[in-house]
Amino acid sequence: MRLRTLEMALEGLEGFGRPDPRFEQYSTPAVLAARLLHHAHLLGDIEGKAVCDLGCGTGVLACGAALLGAERVAGVELDQEALAVARRNAAHLEAEIELVLGDVRDRSLIEGLGTFDTVVMNPPFGAQDPHADRPFVDAALALAPVVYGIFNTGSIPFLGAYTAGRAEIEFAIGGIFPLKRTFAFHRRDVVEIEVEIVRIRRL
Ligand code: SAH
């Protein structure tokens, strides 16, 4: 599937109904989600593979992985309303996805999911809780040997230090995350956040 075709399929998906600022619920923009998945696909990490989306929200990454031919796709999300949106999005695309209600910090839940080839994720950027992405990195490395994540630009030194001895940060592609005015505390209509798509490989 061409990058633009994937982008268009993901652009048509439903976003968060009532986003909750505590959980930093921003749908991953289709362009960014497609770029992450396309790269992962080119490197052989999606087609025929078991892929898990952590903090799957509305399911954009999970749905995209299914469209690109992943053999098994699971999404973990703690918000029931977001999962309902993900379920509708998967049905709309006729994508088969296991949706799991739960917290990525719950070790027994993570262990119970089994193992995956690849994790894709857009964890909270840490605007509410500066360390919110750490449990995502831990869960991801427990689940799969290869992880693709979207992080704030400038996170690489942190990621390197945090995963030292456990994983290697393989590369980063830059991108822009246009955050639309979502919450009352946002003062501008759109704020562009610079992000990096990072590939992390377990050692
Ligand atoms: N890629 C998704 C959402 C990214 S926003 C989309 O495009 O819709 C981050 C998501 O992580 C939110 O849906 C939020 O509810 C979820 N989340 C935050 N903390 C979590 C945790 N500890 N466990 C599981 N999900 C979590």
Side-chain angles (χ1 to χ4, degrees):
M1 181 182 284
R2 290 178 46 215
L3 179 59
R4 184 69 194 125
T5 314
L6 179 63
E7 266 174 32
M8 286 193 303
L10 300 181
E11 257 157 24
L13 296 182
E14 188 184 335
F16 288 102
R18 281 185 291 153
D20 187 329
R22 284 173 306 160
F23 304 140
E24 297 196 37
Q25 293 182 325
Y26 304 103
S27 315
T28 309
V31 171
L32 209 55
R35 190 181 294 178
L36 182 155
L37 291 164
H38 194 67
H39 262 272
H41 184 250
L42 290 177
L43 289 175
D45 292 324
I46 304 287
E47 198 172 345
K49 303 285 180 178
V51 179
C52 186
D53 178 0
L54 293 180
C56 69
T58 60
V60 178
L61 291 169
C63 286
L67 290 183
L68 291 176
E71 191 181 275
R72 175 189 176 204
V73 182
V76 181
E77 168 60 50
L78 50 61
D79 179 36
Q80 206 149 10
E81 283 187 40
L83 268 193
V85 177
R87 196 165 296 118
R88 285 196 291 276
N89 281 333
H92 172 70
L93 291 174
E94 294 179 13
E96 224 174 278
I97 295 172
E98 299 160 43
L99 292 167
V100 180
L101 180 65
D103 192 317
V104 301
R105 291 167 294 191
D106 180 344
R107 274 169 179 255
S108 57
L109 173 103
I110 295 298
E111 279 165 19
L113 291 174
T115 55
F116 291 83
D117 299 298
T118 311
V119 164
V120 293
M121 62 182 188
N122 180 192
F125 290 135
Q128 302 298 319
D129 167 5
H131 302 313
D133 51 1
R134 292 185 185 189
F136 279 78
V137 173
D138 293 334
L141 289 172
L143 286 169
V146 176
V147 178
Y148 292 83
I150 300 174
F151 297 90
N152 272 324
T153 292
S155 301
I156 304 268
F158 149 72
L159 282 171
Y162 187 64
T163 62
R166 292 193 286 158
E168 199 174 60
I169 310 299
E170 287 202 320
F171 66 71
I173 322 162
I176 296 286
F177 198 129
L179 284 189
K180 297 208 188 84
R181 187 184 172 88
T182 312
F183 303 120
F185 60 78
H186 287 168
R187 273 178 275 158
R188 284 191 280 159
D189 286 344
V190 181
V191 183
E192 292 195 335
I193 295 193
E194 280 182 44
V195 295
E196 283 165 335
I197 298 169
V198 178
R199 184 177 195 258
I200 306 170
R201 196 175 56 83
R202 195 163 66 192
L203 292 176

